[in-house]
Amino acid sequence: VRGDDLSLRVVVKRPPDQTGVNLEFSSGQLTSPALFDPATGEASPLFGGSRARSGYKLAIADTPAAFLLRLERAGVGDLAGVEGVEERVLVEGTRAMPVEEILRRLQAVEDAQARRLLTYSAVNTTSMRFQVGGSVQSIDATFRGAFFFRRGQPADWAWEEFLVNGVRWRSKRIPQIPLLQPEKASALPVEITFTRDYRYSLRGTALVEGRDCWVVDFGPAVRPEPGRTLFQGTVWIDRELYTRVRTRGIQLGLEGEVQSNEEAITYSPVDAAGGPAAWQLDSFFLPLRLVGQQQLSLLGNTTVVEREVLLSNVAINAPEFEARRDAMLASPATMLRDTDKGLRYLVADDDTGERVVQEELDPTRLFLAGGAFYDESFDFPVPLVGINWFSYDWKGTGTQVNAFFAGPLLTLNVASPTLLGSKFTGGVDVVGFAIAGTDSIFRGDREAVEEDVKALRPNIDVNIGRPIGNFFVLDLEYSLRWNKFRRAEDTAVDFVLPTDHLSHSFTLSGRYNRKGYRLRAFGREVLRDQWEPWGLPGPADLEPALDSYSKWGAGVAKVWHLPKFQKIGAEIEYFGGRDLDRFSKYEFGFFSEVRVHGYRSDRVRAEEAYATHLSYGLGFGELFRLDLVGDAAWATDRESKLESEFLAGVGLVGTVTGPFSTVLNIDIGFPVAGPDSGFSALIAILKLFR
């Protein structure tokens, strides 16, 4: 299809057993057939064409074995008076352009740009925000450096700067983070080839980035075979210039730890000098912004990674391109290459010293951890000094293992993102804490110290998960917990301790994550193997022995990322239950299901609670970062005489990077409303060894 006048060029192959051809076209608006010579551009008119209600017919005698046919389109005036044509012209005038024609024009424009665009370089800023669970807190990693593109060659990325939560990494060496990424798609829809891999449909038009666009949906023509991934999504094409304005796609057929991958790419016009340009065909249209979300299965939990890539300071066909790229390859900067298997690190060869693609990356990481935790449920600050060892591919099996030992705390996690080669995930978690905290209770506004209990609760969790679609995960977890109780310093002599016992917990939960929104809900049933009446003897007798109870809850959270590493987060939660007692109710401490900053563990309890959390984070010149956190909860508990009691706390969460590849995190909270007082604090230092 020729873009300026919509005339057609048709390649015709004559059947070998015939001397001529009989052609039929579905459009009745065709006219002026001619044999076209592509070498000279001359056209020889043909006769024998006729219009009919079914379209346009053309009979040609004595033709070559193969030839090029030219056809023009008749105007409305030329068709007037032809039987059945007036009505057909009216319909054709309101019908949208065929999707095949739109894509052919897009392909022609992009082919023309590809011939002009030999190289371009830019400064890339890659941000990855790791979100575990449904809270508004996250770990942000940002890389900055040069980007090099050569036509027909894989792109190279340089990471010259590294920021943790917006704070600049002070060590010279940028750590090699694990490259957990989806498989490369077997066929990319952006390379419009009209193969059998994809089908395309025109949805309509829309205004995108201030441009009037065709909206074209694409998807696999057939279900992807095992081990083969394809995309499904939408491309927005400028209706005037037929350039790409935006694409958005979801990758299908993924396997391994990457459960879903969604990417949206925005294209912008730049001039030959790399600056912003007008929307016209002599500009260059480049993918300057990518926003994506990946859902990973890490250690049996769903981790959401929000990714954003920005390209700035673009230089097109610069004469110093090769010199700049060679200088970067010779520098100590961390570099990566976009290969057929995804991003791979470029490392110096031991023999030649030149950079080569590192096909296999060491899957293990070793950290030194140090710090302390304190709230008034413990008699003294709890030291946390030890090591953390992590492998995302233990012995090449794909199994993920994490072991953390820090003084009294021991955790071990073993998980498989593809349990027995299936779509299910599975994992086992072991958690032990050797220091018993004081479990307290309020009677009205008074803390009943005579009922204080020391408690230890090590547990083992076994979980199985299954992603459903691209953004939802369903999990089933079984937890076995050993509950051991002993007297505290102020416990009354006649207080009957709860029975040491094993509890069996079954939890079904679901999580939905997309576009910064996180929705979650859970239901839990708990059985105790033995549970006797406990408490202070008196007129009310001992507390009843409830050998089973139920808990449930739901929450929604949203995070907004602003310029200069600012971030606003909001979360709303609800928690309820049935047959809850002192040792099964909801708490509000640092490691509790419902957290209010500053509240101590095992002290204030509720049978039902509504909670909200707000946070605002900002960086100070890339030197340190502070997050201001506000928590509020409305707690109801008949035993403690709480009726929608307002609990509130504020917190400061800070991040500072230090020398020798260290990161310091501080989390301090203070209660500001409700029955609790005091403060809680966690200070942690993490050092990367390898």
Side-chain angles (χ1 to χ4, degrees), residues 541-612:
D541 296 324
L542 300 179
E543 297 290 340
L546 302 174
D547 56 4
S548 68
Y549 59 89
S550 304
K551 302 175 82 171
W552 53 80
V556 58
K558 177 72 169 83
V559 178
W560 294 268
H561 294 276
L562 308 176
K564 298 181 179 180
F565 299 102
Q566 299 179 88
K567 180 174 63 177
I568 296 176
E571 183 178 12
I572 301 174
E573 300 176 296
Y574 166 75
F575 299 90
R578 175 186 58 82
D579 294 336
L580 303 182
D581 60 19
R582 170 180 170 180
F583 298 100
S584 59
K585 293 176 182 177
Y586 294 100
E587 304 169 6
F588 302 90
F590 193 95
F591 299 105
S592 303
E593 284 182 293
V594 192
R595 185 182 179 189
V596 176
H597 266 78
Y599 268 66
R600 289 175 275 177
S601 304
D602 300 329
R603 197 171 190 208
V604 180
R605 293 172 172 79
E607 299 169 306
E608 183 181 56
Y610 295 86
T612 184

Side-chain angles (χ1 to χ4, degrees), residues 381-403:
V382 179
L384 299 173
V385 179
I387 60 173
N388 190 96
W389 181 85
F390 169 66
S391 175
Y392 61 87
D393 188 13
W394 184 60
K395 293 188 176 181
T397 62
T399 303
Q400 301 166 352
V401 180
N402 188 78

Side-chain angles (χ1 to χ4, degrees), residues 22 34 55 57 62 76 126 146 208 271 362 444 480 569 584 586:
N22 292 306
K57 296 181 178 181
D62 299 325
V76 175
T126 302
V208 177
D271 57 25
D362 185 358
L480 176 65
S584 59
Y586 294 100

Side-chain angles (χ1 to χ4, degrees), residues 653-664:
V653 181
T655 302
V656 178
T657 61
F660 311 111
S661 304
T662 58
V663 178
L664 171 65

Side-chain angles (χ1 to χ4, degrees), residues 30-94:
L30 300 178
T31 186
S32 304
L35 286 176
F36 186 80
D37 188 340
T40 64
E42 296 181 356
S44 302
L46 295 172
F47 302 95
S50 63
R51 296 191 187 94
R53 184 176 295 273
S54 60
Y56 183 77
K57 296 181 178 181
L58 177 63
I60 311 174
D62 299 325
T63 66
F67 61 95
L68 194 61
L69 176 68
R70 187 196 71 182
L71 291 162
E72 304 292 346
R73 294 186 184 273
V76 175
D78 299 328
L79 297 172
V82 178
E83 181 182 359
V85 169
E86 291 84 351
E87 179 181 357
R88 185 179 182 87
V89 170
L90 178 62
V91 174
E92 292 284 343
T94 59

Side-chain angles (χ1 to χ4, degrees), residues 313-544:
N313 300 336
V314 178
I316 294 178
N317 297 335
E320 65 275 10
F321 176 86
E322 292 296 340
R324 289 188 56 203
R325 179 177 170 275
D326 291 342
M328 188 60 64
L329 288 170
S331 73
T334 299
M335 293 196 66
L336 303 94
R337 177 162 293 170
D338 196 1
T339 71
D340 293 338
K341 298 179 181 179
L343 285 176
R344 292 292 186 270
Y345 285 105
L346 287 175
V347 298
D349 184 82
D350 294 336
D351 298 327
T352 64
E354 296 183 357
R355 298 251 191 178
V356 295
V357 174
Q358 185 181 30
E359 295 293 346
E360 298 296 333
L361 180 65
D362 185 358
T364 64
R365 295 292 183 272
L366 182 64
F367 300 89
L368 173 66
F373 172 74
Y374 176 74
D375 72 19
E376 292 187 17
S377 62
F378 297 97
D379 298 329
F380 51 84
V382 179
L384 299 173
V385 179
I387 60 173
N388 190 96
W389 181 85
F390 169 66
S391 175
Y392 61 87
D393 188 13
W394 184 60
K395 293 188 176 181
T397 62
T399 303
Q400 301 166 352
V401 180
N402 188 78
F404 178 54
F405 174 74
L409 177 63
L410 171 65
T411 66
L412 176 64
N413 315 92
V414 180
S416 171
T418 54
L419 188 62
L420 301 177
S422 69
K423 290 286 186 180
F424 287 88
T425 66
V428 178
D429 304 329
V430 179
V431 180
F433 195 64
I435 299 177
T438 301
D439 188 299
S440 305
I441 191 171
F442 278 87
R443 299 294 184 183
D445 295 331
R446 184 183 69 87
E447 183 178 359
V449 296
E450 67 276 7
E451 299 183 53
D452 286 354
V453 174
K454 293 283 189 179
L456 281 174
R457 300 185 180 97
N459 64 283
I460 299 176
D461 301 332
V462 179
N463 59 78
I464 296 177
R466 179 68 161 84
I468 300 176
N470 293 285
F471 309 105
F472 183 78
V473 176
L474 190 66
D475 288 298
L476 177 63
E477 180 181 86
Y478 165 73
S479 179
L480 176 65
R481 171 176 290 184
W482 169 244
N483 300 271
K484 182 175 179 58
F485 305 96
R486 61 183 177 87
R487 297 181 181 278
E489 182 178 348
D490 298 320
T491 308
V493 175
D494 56 347
F495 181 86
V496 178
L497 286 175
T499 308
D500 295 343
H501 67 281
L502 288 172
S503 62
H504 307 270
S505 172
F506 303 88
T507 304
L508 181 65
S509 61
R511 298 180 185 274
Y512 178 85
N513 304 279
R514 195 181 189 193
K515 295 183 178 179
Y517 287 95
R518 299 175 180 88
L519 288 77
R520 58 190 177 89
F522 76 92
R524 180 179 302 132
E525 186 72 18
V526 183
L527 307 175
R528 292 162 167 156
D529 68 339
Q530 53 181 339
W531 190 244
E532 302 295 335
W534 53 272
L536 285 172
D541 296 324
L542 300 179
E543 297 290 340

